[in-house]
Amino acid sequence: AQSVSQHNHHVILSEAASLELGCNYSYGGTVNLFWYVQYPGQHLQLLLKYFSGDPLVKGIKGFEAEFIKSKFSFNLRKPSVQWSDTAEYFCAGPRGSQGNLIFGKGTKLSVKP
Amino acid sequence: EAQVTQNPRYLITVTGKKLTVTCSQNMNHEYMSWYRQDPGLGLRQIYYSMNVEVTDKGDVPEGYKVSRKEKRNFPLILESPSPNQTSLYFCASSTQNQPQHFGDGTRLSIL
């Protein structure tokens, strides 16, 4: 079965702390992976994507993610978080047909000023 | 401007009164989806469409209908809404293997 798992439900950090959010996927075939962010009261926006090539992917706002095939992981990282990073973060991967996605349950990040 | 437009943004209604949430995209995308978002459950797919007249059930299709008569539109229909369909709904569109673009969401409250 295809699935995407996010292990952290709620992460609380102080400003300037480093961030790592876990994401694991389980399926074979072509791996297209995404991280989305949802700021309070807003819709989901793409942070970054991995299709192929360099497993270290850089996205917007200083975020990056590393695809590790042997661990089936695609963890999101940021060296120094800001209060404005407070949001919910979703990992997503392919689901069946091309163009269809399955999402993890999300990780809520709260950054204390 | 590339966008996915949902209407209405907010709706409070009563059990059993049919309603339709519209979704329109201007990017000529083949793929469109409907999701519902509930606290602690993330985004769960309701229905998915690969192109005009081609739709498929997602994880939670019960109580919902969709149609895809035109490429740009993908309405979500609740024939007889019930309180357990109170949720935040998102429409999304994409082209093959590309990220999905999301609408601003529709918050439905069914009393």
Side-chain angles (χ1 to χ4, degrees), chain A residues 32 34 36 38 43-44 46 49 51 90 95 97-101 103 105, chain B residues 31 35 37 42 45 48 50 59 90 94 96-100 102-104:
Chain A
N32 300 330
F34 307 87
Y36 285 85
Q38 184 181 32
H43 63 277
L44 276 76
L46 182 69
K49 61 186 179 185
F51 285 170
F90 293 91
R95 168 198 182 126
S97 307
Q98 295 166 337
N100 201 3
L101 290 183
F103 285 83
K105 291 188 176 180
Chain B
Y31 304 96
Y35 299 90
Q37 184 178 18
Q45 191 179 68
Y48 169 69
M50 289 158 278
D59 301 313
F90 287 101
S94 68
Q96 184 170 315
N97 290 328
Q98 292 301 314
Q100 293 190 347
F102 284 83
D104 287 336

PDB file of all heavy atoms in Angstrom, chain A residues 32 34 36 38 43-44 46 49 51 90 95 97-101 103 105, chain B residues 31 35 37 42 45 48 50 59 90 94 96-100 102-104:
ATOM      1  N   ASN A  32       8.196  10.850  -6.571  1.00  0.00           N
ATOM      2  CA  ASN A  32       8.093  12.315  -6.591  1.00  0.00           C
ATOM      3  C   ASN A  32       7.577  12.735  -5.226  1.00  0.00           C
ATOM      4  O   ASN A  32       6.485  12.335  -4.825  1.00  0.00           O
ATOM      5  CB  ASN A  32       7.113  12.786  -7.665  1.00  0.00           C
ATOM      6  CG  ASN A  32       7.539  12.351  -9.048  1.00  0.00           C
ATOM      7  OD1 ASN A  32       8.718  12.210  -9.328  1.00  0.00           O
ATOM      8  ND2 ASN A  32       6.578  12.137  -9.921  1.00  0.00           N
ATOM      9  N   PHE A  34       7.063  15.759  -2.070  1.00  0.00           N
ATOM     10  CA  PHE A  34       6.795  17.180  -1.885  1.00  0.00           C
ATOM     11  C   PHE A  34       6.666  17.507  -0.399  1.00  0.00           C
ATOM     12  O   PHE A  34       6.244  16.671   0.397  1.00  0.00           O
ATOM     13  CB  PHE A  34       5.462  17.570  -2.561  1.00  0.00           C
ATOM     14  CG  PHE A  34       5.347  17.165  -4.001  1.00  0.00           C
ATOM     15  CD1 PHE A  34       4.876  15.905  -4.341  1.00  0.00           C
ATOM     16  CD2 PHE A  34       5.693  18.035  -5.012  1.00  0.00           C
ATOM     17  CE1 PHE A  34       4.756  15.518  -5.673  1.00  0.00           C
ATOM     18  CE2 PHE A  34       5.571  17.668  -6.343  1.00  0.00           C
ATOM     19  CZ  PHE A  34       5.106  16.413  -6.668  1.00  0.00           C
ATOM     20  N   TYR A  36       4.676  20.621   1.643  1.00  0.00           N
ATOM     21  CA  TYR A  36       3.799  21.772   1.570  1.00  0.00           C
ATOM     22  C   TYR A  36       3.726  22.429   2.951  1.00  0.00           C
ATOM     23  O   TYR A  36       3.861  21.758   3.977  1.00  0.00           O
ATOM     24  CB  TYR A  36       2.377  21.362   1.167  1.00  0.00           C
ATOM     25  CG  TYR A  36       2.205  21.023  -0.294  1.00  0.00           C
ATOM     26  CD1 TYR A  36       2.491  19.754  -0.771  1.00  0.00           C
ATOM     27  CD2 TYR A  36       1.724  21.975  -1.196  1.00  0.00           C
ATOM     28  CE1 TYR A  36       2.315  19.434  -2.111  1.00  0.00           C
ATOM     29  CE2 TYR A  36       1.540  21.667  -2.535  1.00  0.00           C
ATOM     30  CZ  TYR A  36       1.841  20.395  -2.976  1.00  0.00           C
ATOM     31  OH  TYR A  36       1.660  20.088  -4.308  1.00  0.00           O
ATOM     32  N   GLN A  38       1.258  25.114   5.344  1.00  0.00           N
ATOM     33  CA  GLN A  38      -0.046  25.771   5.480  1.00  0.00           C
ATOM     34  C   GLN A  38       0.034  26.738   6.649  1.00  0.00           C
ATOM     35  O   GLN A  38       0.052  26.324   7.815  1.00  0.00           O
ATOM     36  CB  GLN A  38      -1.150  24.745   5.703  1.00  0.00           C
ATOM     37  CG  GLN A  38      -2.552  25.360   5.760  1.00  0.00           C
ATOM     38  CD  GLN A  38      -3.628  24.325   5.999  1.00  0.00           C
ATOM     39  OE1 GLN A  38      -3.414  23.311   6.663  1.00  0.00           O
ATOM     40  NE2 GLN A  38      -4.811  24.554   5.460  1.00  0.00           N
ATOM     41  N   HIS A  43      -4.305  28.382   2.541  1.00  0.00           N
ATOM     42  CA  HIS A  43      -4.272  27.112   1.822  1.00  0.00           C
ATOM     43  C   HIS A  43      -2.844  26.564   1.800  1.00  0.00           C
ATOM     44  O   HIS A  43      -1.912  27.233   2.269  1.00  0.00           O
ATOM     45  CB  HIS A  43      -4.789  27.309   0.398  1.00  0.00           C
ATOM     46  CG  HIS A  43      -3.942  28.234  -0.423  1.00  0.00           C
ATOM     47  ND1 HIS A  43      -4.070  29.604  -0.374  1.00  0.00           N
ATOM     48  CD2 HIS A  43      -2.970  27.988  -1.323  1.00  0.00           C
ATOM     49  CE1 HIS A  43      -3.211  30.156  -1.193  1.00  0.00           C
ATOM     50  NE2 HIS A  43      -2.525  29.208  -1.788  1.00  0.00           N
ATOM     51  N   LEU A  44      -2.685  25.371   1.280  1.00  0.00           N
ATOM     52  CA  LEU A  44      -1.366  24.755   1.197  1.00  0.00           C
ATOM     53  C   LEU A  44      -0.544  25.397   0.086  1.00  0.00           C
ATOM     54  O   LEU A  44      -1.036  25.640  -1.014  1.00  0.00           O
ATOM     55  CB  LEU A  44      -1.480  23.254   0.920  1.00  0.00           C
ATOM     56  CG  LEU A  44      -1.693  22.369   2.131  1.00  0.00           C
ATOM     57  CD1 LEU A  44      -3.119  22.464   2.621  1.00  0.00           C
ATOM     58  CD2 LEU A  44      -1.337  20.927   1.800  1.00  0.00           C
ATOM     59  N   LEU A  46       3.392  25.112  -1.888  1.00  0.00           N
ATOM     60  CA  LEU A  46       4.543  24.239  -2.098  1.00  0.00           C
ATOM     61  C   LEU A  46       5.797  24.853  -1.491  1.00  0.00           C
ATOM     62  O   LEU A  46       6.121  26.011  -1.746  1.00  0.00           O
ATOM     63  CB  LEU A  46       4.754  24.027  -3.598  1.00  0.00           C
ATOM     64  CG  LEU A  46       5.894  23.103  -3.971  1.00  0.00           C
ATOM     65  CD1 LEU A  46       5.552  21.656  -3.583  1.00  0.00           C
ATOM     66  CD2 LEU A  46       6.187  23.184  -5.465  1.00  0.00           C
ATOM     67  N   LYS A  49      10.192  20.341  -3.776  1.00  0.00           N
ATOM     68  CA  LYS A  49       9.818  19.087  -4.432  1.00  0.00           C
ATOM     69  C   LYS A  49      11.077  18.323  -4.830  1.00  0.00           C
ATOM     70  O   LYS A  49      12.130  18.928  -5.088  1.00  0.00           O
ATOM     71  CB  LYS A  49       8.966  19.375  -5.671  1.00  0.00           C
ATOM     72  CG  LYS A  49       9.704  20.199  -6.716  1.00  0.00           C
ATOM     73  CD  LYS A  49       8.790  20.584  -7.864  1.00  0.00           C
ATOM     74  CE  LYS A  49       9.561  21.439  -8.876  1.00  0.00           C
ATOM     75  NZ  LYS A  49       8.702  21.961  -9.960  1.00  0.00           N
ATOM     76  N   PHE A  51      12.092  15.285  -7.604  1.00  0.00           N
ATOM     77  CA  PHE A  51      11.689  14.386  -8.674  1.00  0.00           C
ATOM     78  C   PHE A  51      12.797  13.387  -8.981  1.00  0.00           C
ATOM     79  O   PHE A  51      12.562  12.199  -9.124  1.00  0.00           O
ATOM     80  CB  PHE A  51      11.336  15.173  -9.943  1.00  0.00           C
ATOM     81  CG  PHE A  51      10.002  15.868  -9.861  1.00  0.00           C
ATOM     82  CD1 PHE A  51       9.620  16.779 -10.834  1.00  0.00           C
ATOM     83  CD2 PHE A  51       9.110  15.623  -8.832  1.00  0.00           C
ATOM     84  CE1 PHE A  51       8.381  17.422 -10.769  1.00  0.00           C
ATOM     85  CE2 PHE A  51       7.878  16.256  -8.756  1.00  0.00           C
ATOM     86  CZ  PHE A  51       7.521  17.165  -9.742  1.00  0.00           C
ATOM     87  N   PHE A  90       3.136  19.584   5.603  1.00  0.00           N
ATOM     88  CA  PHE A  90       2.657  18.314   5.075  1.00  0.00           C
ATOM     89  C   PHE A  90       3.654  17.754   4.078  1.00  0.00           C
ATOM     90  O   PHE A  90       4.093  18.444   3.164  1.00  0.00           O
ATOM     91  CB  PHE A  90       1.317  18.509   4.359  1.00  0.00           C
ATOM     92  CG  PHE A  90       0.182  18.887   5.259  1.00  0.00           C
ATOM     93  CD1 PHE A  90      -0.116  20.216   5.498  1.00  0.00           C
ATOM     94  CD2 PHE A  90      -0.582  17.909   5.873  1.00  0.00           C
ATOM     95  CE1 PHE A  90      -1.173  20.569   6.337  1.00  0.00           C
ATOM     96  CE2 PHE A  90      -1.640  18.249   6.713  1.00  0.00           C
ATOM     97  CZ  PHE A  90      -1.931  19.582   6.939  1.00  0.00           C
ATOM     98  N   ARG A  95       0.517   8.773  -5.548  1.00  0.00           N
ATOM     99  CA  ARG A  95      -0.520   7.840  -5.178  1.00  0.00           C
ATOM    100  C   ARG A  95      -1.175   7.336  -6.446  1.00  0.00           C
ATOM    101  O   ARG A  95      -1.917   8.062  -7.072  1.00  0.00           O
ATOM    102  CB  ARG A  95      -1.533   8.592  -4.309  1.00  0.00           C
ATOM    103  CG  ARG A  95      -2.815   7.881  -4.066  1.00  0.00           C
ATOM    104  CD  ARG A  95      -3.832   8.891  -3.601  1.00  0.00           C
ATOM    105  NE  ARG A  95      -5.056   8.214  -3.307  1.00  0.00           N
ATOM    106  CZ  ARG A  95      -5.686   8.326  -2.150  1.00  0.00           C
ATOM    107  NH1 ARG A  95      -5.212   9.099  -1.221  1.00  0.00           N
ATOM    108  NH2 ARG A  95      -6.791   7.670  -1.954  1.00  0.00           N
ATOM    109  N   SER A  97      -2.228   6.980  -9.837  1.00  0.00           N
ATOM    110  CA  SER A  97      -2.114   7.679 -11.113  1.00  0.00           C
ATOM    111  C   SER A  97      -1.182   8.883 -11.021  1.00  0.00           C
ATOM    112  O   SER A  97      -1.082   9.525  -9.989  1.00  0.00           O
ATOM    113  CB  SER A  97      -3.485   8.171 -11.564  1.00  0.00           C
ATOM    114  OG  SER A  97      -4.411   7.136 -11.575  1.00  0.00           O
ATOM    115  N   GLN A  98      -0.545   9.174 -12.128  1.00  0.00           N
ATOM    116  CA  GLN A  98       0.296  10.369 -12.186  1.00  0.00           C
ATOM    117  C   GLN A  98      -0.565  11.588 -11.956  1.00  0.00           C
ATOM    118  O   GLN A  98      -1.654  11.696 -12.499  1.00  0.00           O
ATOM    119  CB  GLN A  98       0.977  10.439 -13.553  1.00  0.00           C
ATOM    120  CG  GLN A  98       1.952   9.311 -13.777  1.00  0.00           C
ATOM    121  CD  GLN A  98       2.356   9.195 -15.233  1.00  0.00           C
ATOM    122  OE1 GLN A  98       1.638   9.648 -16.109  1.00  0.00           O
ATOM    123  NE2 GLN A  98       3.502   8.601 -15.486  1.00  0.00           N
ATOM    124  N   GLY A  99      -0.065  12.491 -11.144  1.00  0.00           N
ATOM    125  CA  GLY A  99      -0.825  13.685 -10.823  1.00  0.00           C
ATOM    126  C   GLY A  99      -1.603  13.560  -9.541  1.00  0.00           C
ATOM    127  O   GLY A  99      -2.122  14.546  -9.037  1.00  0.00           O
ATOM    128  N   ASN A 100      -1.715  12.343  -8.988  1.00  0.00           N
ATOM    129  CA  ASN A 100      -2.443  12.145  -7.744  1.00  0.00           C
ATOM    130  C   ASN A 100      -1.460  12.026  -6.595  1.00  0.00           C
ATOM    131  O   ASN A 100      -0.393  11.434  -6.734  1.00  0.00           O
ATOM    132  CB  ASN A 100      -3.307  10.887  -7.834  1.00  0.00           C
ATOM    133  CG  ASN A 100      -4.432  10.906  -6.829  1.00  0.00           C
ATOM    134  OD1 ASN A 100      -4.611  11.872  -6.098  1.00  0.00           O
ATOM    135  ND2 ASN A 100      -5.192   9.827  -6.787  1.00  0.00           N
ATOM    136  N   LEU A 101      -1.819  12.597  -5.458  1.00  0.00           N
ATOM    137  CA  LEU A 101      -0.926  12.613  -4.301  1.00  0.00           C
ATOM    138  C   LEU A 101      -1.595  12.022  -3.073  1.00  0.00           C
ATOM    139  O   LEU A 101      -2.809  12.074  -2.918  1.00  0.00           O
ATOM    140  CB  LEU A 101      -0.516  14.052  -3.950  1.00  0.00           C
ATOM    141  CG  LEU A 101       0.411  14.801  -4.896  1.00  0.00           C
ATOM    142  CD1 LEU A 101       0.732  16.162  -4.313  1.00  0.00           C
ATOM    143  CD2 LEU A 101       1.682  14.018  -5.150  1.00  0.00           C
ATOM    144  N   PHE A 103      -1.108  12.451   1.149  1.00  0.00           N
ATOM    145  CA  PHE A 103      -0.494  13.357   2.116  1.00  0.00           C
ATOM    146  C   PHE A 103      -0.290  12.664   3.457  1.00  0.00           C
ATOM    147  O   PHE A 103      -1.094  11.819   3.870  1.00  0.00           O
ATOM    148  CB  PHE A 103      -1.379  14.585   2.331  1.00  0.00           C
ATOM    149  CG  PHE A 103      -1.344  15.560   1.203  1.00  0.00           C
ATOM    150  CD1 PHE A 103      -2.131  15.365   0.086  1.00  0.00           C
ATOM    151  CD2 PHE A 103      -0.513  16.660   1.241  1.00  0.00           C
ATOM    152  CE1 PHE A 103      -2.100  16.258  -0.974  1.00  0.00           C
ATOM    153  CE2 PHE A 103      -0.473  17.561   0.193  1.00  0.00           C
ATOM    154  CZ  PHE A 103      -1.270  17.350  -0.921  1.00  0.00           C
ATOM    155  N   LYS A 105      -0.190  13.156   7.685  1.00  0.00           N
ATOM    156  CA  LYS A 105      -1.188  13.798   8.543  1.00  0.00           C
ATOM    157  C   LYS A 105      -0.774  15.186   8.990  1.00  0.00           C
ATOM    158  O   LYS A 105      -1.553  15.873   9.648  1.00  0.00           O
ATOM    159  CB  LYS A 105      -1.493  12.906   9.742  1.00  0.00           C
ATOM    160  CG  LYS A 105      -2.240  11.649   9.330  1.00  0.00           C
ATOM    161  CD  LYS A 105      -2.728  10.855  10.521  1.00  0.00           C
ATOM    162  CE  LYS A 105      -3.545   9.671  10.033  1.00  0.00           C
ATOM    163  NZ  LYS A 105      -4.044   8.855  11.159  1.00  0.00           N
TER     164      LYS A 105
ATOM    165  N   TYR B  31      -5.415  17.154 -14.028  1.00  0.00           N
ATOM    166  CA  TYR B  31      -5.744  16.486 -12.786  1.00  0.00           C
ATOM    167  C   TYR B  31      -6.360  17.453 -11.788  1.00  0.00           C
ATOM    168  O   TYR B  31      -5.853  18.558 -11.579  1.00  0.00           O
ATOM    169  CB  TYR B  31      -4.478  15.877 -12.165  1.00  0.00           C
ATOM    170  CG  TYR B  31      -3.761  14.935 -13.083  1.00  0.00           C
ATOM    171  CD1 TYR B  31      -2.689  15.370 -13.851  1.00  0.00           C
ATOM    172  CD2 TYR B  31      -4.168  13.609 -13.192  1.00  0.00           C
ATOM    173  CE1 TYR B  31      -2.040  14.504 -14.708  1.00  0.00           C
ATOM    174  CE2 TYR B  31      -3.518  12.746 -14.043  1.00  0.00           C
ATOM    175  CZ  TYR B  31      -2.462  13.192 -14.802  1.00  0.00           C
ATOM    176  OH  TYR B  31      -1.823  12.334 -15.647  1.00  0.00           O
ATOM    177  N   TYR B  35     -10.194  17.457  -1.364  1.00  0.00           N
ATOM    178  CA  TYR B  35      -9.746  16.964  -0.070  1.00  0.00           C
ATOM    179  C   TYR B  35     -10.599  17.586   1.030  1.00  0.00           C
ATOM    180  O   TYR B  35     -11.112  18.685   0.880  1.00  0.00           O
ATOM    181  CB  TYR B  35      -8.294  17.375   0.219  1.00  0.00           C
ATOM    182  CG  TYR B  35      -7.274  16.862  -0.760  1.00  0.00           C
ATOM    183  CD1 TYR B  35      -6.938  17.604  -1.898  1.00  0.00           C
ATOM    184  CD2 TYR B  35      -6.622  15.648  -0.548  1.00  0.00           C
ATOM    185  CE1 TYR B  35      -5.989  17.143  -2.788  1.00  0.00           C
ATOM    186  CE2 TYR B  35      -5.663  15.185  -1.444  1.00  0.00           C
ATOM    187  CZ  TYR B  35      -5.363  15.940  -2.554  1.00  0.00           C
ATOM    188  OH  TYR B  35      -4.417  15.486  -3.434  1.00  0.00           O
ATOM    189  N   GLN B  37     -10.042  18.517   5.181  1.00  0.00           N
ATOM    190  CA  GLN B  37      -9.021  18.630   6.215  1.00  0.00           C
ATOM    191  C   GLN B  37      -9.692  18.707   7.569  1.00  0.00           C
ATOM    192  O   GLN B  37     -10.497  19.599   7.829  1.00  0.00           O
ATOM    193  CB  GLN B  37      -8.145  19.869   5.994  1.00  0.00           C
ATOM    194  CG  GLN B  37      -7.003  19.971   6.997  1.00  0.00           C
ATOM    195  CD  GLN B  37      -6.109  21.167   6.743  1.00  0.00           C
ATOM    196  OE1 GLN B  37      -6.477  22.109   6.056  1.00  0.00           O
ATOM    197  NE2 GLN B  37      -4.915  21.136   7.298  1.00  0.00           N
ATOM    198  N   GLY B  42      -5.123  15.281   8.953  1.00  0.00           N
ATOM    199  CA  GLY B  42      -4.461  15.751   7.744  1.00  0.00           C
ATOM    200  C   GLY B  42      -5.430  15.971   6.612  1.00  0.00           C
ATOM    201  O   GLY B  42      -6.608  16.278   6.829  1.00  0.00           O
ATOM    202  N   GLN B  45      -8.281  12.531   0.766  1.00  0.00           N
ATOM    203  CA  GLN B  45      -8.827  12.746  -0.573  1.00  0.00           C
ATOM    204  C   GLN B  45     -10.255  12.221  -0.661  1.00  0.00           C
ATOM    205  O   GLN B  45     -10.543  11.101  -0.243  1.00  0.00           O
ATOM    206  CB  GLN B  45      -7.950  12.058  -1.612  1.00  0.00           C
ATOM    207  CG  GLN B  45      -8.284  12.440  -3.040  1.00  0.00           C
ATOM    208  CD  GLN B  45      -7.370  11.760  -4.028  1.00  0.00           C
ATOM    209  OE1 GLN B  45      -7.410  10.549  -4.208  1.00  0.00           O
ATOM    210  NE2 GLN B  45      -6.542  12.550  -4.689  1.00  0.00           N
ATOM    211  N   TYR B  48     -11.023  12.285  -7.095  1.00  0.00           N
ATOM    212  CA  TYR B  48      -9.906  12.633  -7.952  1.00  0.00           C
ATOM    213  C   TYR B  48     -10.362  12.529  -9.409  1.00  0.00           C
ATOM    214  O   TYR B  48     -11.184  11.666  -9.730  1.00  0.00           O
ATOM    215  CB  TYR B  48      -8.769  11.648  -7.664  1.00  0.00           C
ATOM    216  CG  TYR B  48      -7.615  11.657  -8.597  1.00  0.00           C
ATOM    217  CD1 TYR B  48      -6.748  12.738  -8.644  1.00  0.00           C
ATOM    218  CD2 TYR B  48      -7.357  10.562  -9.410  1.00  0.00           C
ATOM    219  CE1 TYR B  48      -5.669  12.743  -9.494  1.00  0.00           C
ATOM    220  CE2 TYR B  48      -6.266  10.553 -10.258  1.00  0.00           C
ATOM    221  CZ  TYR B  48      -5.425  11.645 -10.289  1.00  0.00           C
ATOM    222  OH  TYR B  48      -4.353  11.643 -11.113  1.00  0.00           O
ATOM    223  N   MET B  50      -8.786  12.576 -13.467  1.00  0.00           N
ATOM    224  CA  MET B  50      -7.605  12.576 -14.331  1.00  0.00           C
ATOM    225  C   MET B  50      -7.831  13.370 -15.602  1.00  0.00           C
ATOM    226  O   MET B  50      -6.874  13.706 -16.296  1.00  0.00           O
ATOM    227  CB  MET B  50      -7.223  11.137 -14.670  1.00  0.00           C
ATOM    228  CG  MET B  50      -6.645  10.398 -13.485  1.00  0.00           C
ATOM    229  SD  MET B  50      -6.763   8.617 -13.648  1.00  0.00           S
ATOM    230  CE  MET B  50      -8.446   8.344 -13.129  1.00  0.00           C
ATOM    231  N   ASP B  59     -10.145   8.452  -0.547  1.00  0.00           N
ATOM    232  CA  ASP B  59     -10.223   7.721   0.716  1.00  0.00           C
ATOM    233  C   ASP B  59     -11.591   7.826   1.389  1.00  0.00           C
ATOM    234  O   ASP B  59     -12.016   6.907   2.085  1.00  0.00           O
ATOM    235  CB  ASP B  59      -9.180   8.268   1.698  1.00  0.00           C
ATOM    236  CG  ASP B  59      -7.778   8.146   1.155  1.00  0.00           C
ATOM    237  OD1 ASP B  59      -7.436   7.052   0.652  1.00  0.00           O
ATOM    238  OD2 ASP B  59      -7.025   9.132   1.224  1.00  0.00           O
ATOM    239  N   PHE B  90     -10.667  21.503   0.413  1.00  0.00           N
ATOM    240  CA  PHE B  90      -9.749  22.091  -0.553  1.00  0.00           C
ATOM    241  C   PHE B  90      -9.873  21.391  -1.886  1.00  0.00           C
ATOM    242  O   PHE B  90      -9.936  20.162  -1.968  1.00  0.00           O
ATOM    243  CB  PHE B  90      -8.297  21.961  -0.075  1.00  0.00           C
ATOM    244  CG  PHE B  90      -7.940  22.879   1.042  1.00  0.00           C
ATOM    245  CD1 PHE B  90      -7.886  22.416   2.345  1.00  0.00           C
ATOM    246  CD2 PHE B  90      -7.665  24.210   0.794  1.00  0.00           C
ATOM    247  CE1 PHE B  90      -7.552  23.258   3.389  1.00  0.00           C
ATOM    248  CE2 PHE B  90      -7.334  25.066   1.838  1.00  0.00           C
ATOM    249  CZ  PHE B  90      -7.279  24.589   3.134  1.00  0.00           C
ATOM    250  N   SER B  94      -3.410  19.942 -10.938  1.00  0.00           N
ATOM    251  CA  SER B  94      -2.013  19.789 -11.325  1.00  0.00           C
ATOM    252  C   SER B  94      -1.943  19.242 -12.743  1.00  0.00           C
ATOM    253  O   SER B  94      -2.934  18.740 -13.283  1.00  0.00           O
ATOM    254  CB  SER B  94      -1.268  18.848 -10.376  1.00  0.00           C
ATOM    255  OG  SER B  94      -1.737  17.528 -10.513  1.00  0.00           O
ATOM    256  N   GLN B  96       0.722  16.598 -15.163  1.00  0.00           N
ATOM    257  CA  GLN B  96       1.365  15.321 -14.861  1.00  0.00           C
ATOM    258  C   GLN B  96       2.660  15.482 -14.079  1.00  0.00           C
ATOM    259  O   GLN B  96       3.554  16.206 -14.491  1.00  0.00           O
ATOM    260  CB  GLN B  96       1.649  14.587 -16.165  1.00  0.00           C
ATOM    261  CG  GLN B  96       2.225  13.208 -15.973  1.00  0.00           C
ATOM    262  CD  GLN B  96       2.263  12.438 -17.273  1.00  0.00           C
ATOM    263  OE1 GLN B  96       1.298  12.444 -18.029  1.00  0.00           O
ATOM    264  NE2 GLN B  96       3.374  11.786 -17.556  1.00  0.00           N
ATOM    265  N   ASN B  97       2.718  14.792 -12.923  1.00  0.00           N
ATOM    266  CA  ASN B  97       3.925  14.743 -12.086  1.00  0.00           C
ATOM    267  C   ASN B  97       4.394  16.100 -11.581  1.00  0.00           C
ATOM    268  O   ASN B  97       5.547  16.252 -11.209  1.00  0.00           O
ATOM    269  CB  ASN B  97       5.073  14.051 -12.827  1.00  0.00           C
ATOM    270  CG  ASN B  97       4.818  12.576 -12.996  1.00  0.00           C
ATOM    271  OD1 ASN B  97       4.175  11.954 -12.154  1.00  0.00           O
ATOM    272  ND2 ASN B  97       5.301  12.003 -14.069  1.00  0.00           N
ATOM    273  N   GLN B  98       3.536  17.065 -11.589  1.00  0.00           N
ATOM    274  CA  GLN B  98       3.894  18.383 -11.073  1.00  0.00           C
ATOM    275  C   GLN B  98       3.149  18.652  -9.765  1.00  0.00           C
ATOM    276  O   GLN B  98       2.157  17.995  -9.463  1.00  0.00           O
ATOM    277  CB  GLN B  98       3.571  19.464 -12.112  1.00  0.00           C
ATOM    278  CG  GLN B  98       4.449  19.399 -13.339  1.00  0.00           C
ATOM    279  CD  GLN B  98       5.920  19.542 -13.009  1.00  0.00           C
ATOM    280  OE1 GLN B  98       6.330  20.421 -12.245  1.00  0.00           O
ATOM    281  NE2 GLN B  98       6.726  18.648 -13.560  1.00  0.00           N
ATOM    282  N   PRO B  99       3.641  19.602  -8.981  1.00  0.00           N
ATOM    283  CA  PRO B  99       2.980  19.886  -7.701  1.00  0.00           C
ATOM    284  C   PRO B  99       1.536  20.332  -7.904  1.00  0.00           C
ATOM    285  O   PRO B  99       1.191  20.935  -8.918  1.00  0.00           O
ATOM    286  CB  PRO B  99       3.812  21.026  -7.121  1.00  0.00           C
ATOM    287  CG  PRO B  99       5.115  20.957  -7.813  1.00  0.00           C
ATOM    288  CD  PRO B  99       4.831  20.425  -9.178  1.00  0.00           C
ATOM    289  N   GLN B 100       0.731  20.047  -6.896  1.00  0.00           N
ATOM    290  CA  GLN B 100      -0.659  20.470  -6.945  1.00  0.00           C
ATOM    291  C   GLN B 100      -0.781  21.923  -6.502  1.00  0.00           C
ATOM    292  O   GLN B 100      -0.086  22.376  -5.597  1.00  0.00           O
ATOM    293  CB  GLN B 100      -1.509  19.573  -6.047  1.00  0.00           C
ATOM    294  CG  GLN B 100      -1.587  18.153  -6.567  1.00  0.00           C
ATOM    295  CD  GLN B 100      -2.611  17.317  -5.828  1.00  0.00           C
ATOM    296  OE1 GLN B 100      -3.101  17.692  -4.780  1.00  0.00           O
ATOM    297  NE2 GLN B 100      -2.939  16.161  -6.375  1.00  0.00           N
ATOM    298  N   PHE B 102      -3.420  24.592  -4.888  1.00  0.00           N
ATOM    299  CA  PHE B 102      -4.600  24.509  -4.036  1.00  0.00           C
ATOM    300  C   PHE B 102      -5.430  25.780  -4.088  1.00  0.00           C
ATOM    301  O   PHE B 102      -4.901  26.891  -4.217  1.00  0.00           O
ATOM    302  CB  PHE B 102      -4.191  24.247  -2.588  1.00  0.00           C
ATOM    303  CG  PHE B 102      -3.785  22.825  -2.343  1.00  0.00           C
ATOM    304  CD1 PHE B 102      -2.507  22.393  -2.641  1.00  0.00           C
ATOM    305  CD2 PHE B 102      -4.694  21.914  -1.824  1.00  0.00           C
ATOM    306  CE1 PHE B 102      -2.141  21.066  -2.437  1.00  0.00           C
ATOM    307  CE2 PHE B 102      -4.341  20.598  -1.604  1.00  0.00           C
ATOM    308  CZ  PHE B 102      -3.059  20.168  -1.915  1.00  0.00           C
ATOM    309  N   GLY B 103      -6.739  25.586  -3.961  1.00  0.00           N
ATOM    310  CA  GLY B 103      -7.631  26.708  -3.747  1.00  0.00           C
ATOM    311  C   GLY B 103      -7.530  27.206  -2.317  1.00  0.00           C
ATOM    312  O   GLY B 103      -6.830  26.616  -1.490  1.00  0.00           O
ATOM    313  N   ASP B 104      -8.259  28.284  -2.018  1.00  0.00           N
ATOM    314  CA  ASP B 104      -8.185  28.904  -0.697  1.00  0.00           C
ATOM    315  C   ASP B 104      -8.985  28.167   0.364  1.00  0.00           C
ATOM    316  O   ASP B 104      -8.886  28.502   1.545  1.00  0.00           O
ATOM    317  CB  ASP B 104      -8.664  30.353  -0.767  1.00  0.00           C
ATOM    318  CG  ASP B 104      -7.656  31.251  -1.453  1.00  0.00           C
ATOM    319  OD1 ASP B 104      -6.455  30.885  -1.450  1.00  0.00           O
ATOM    320  OD2 ASP B 104      -8.055  32.300  -1.988  1.00  0.00           O
TER     321      ASP B 104
END
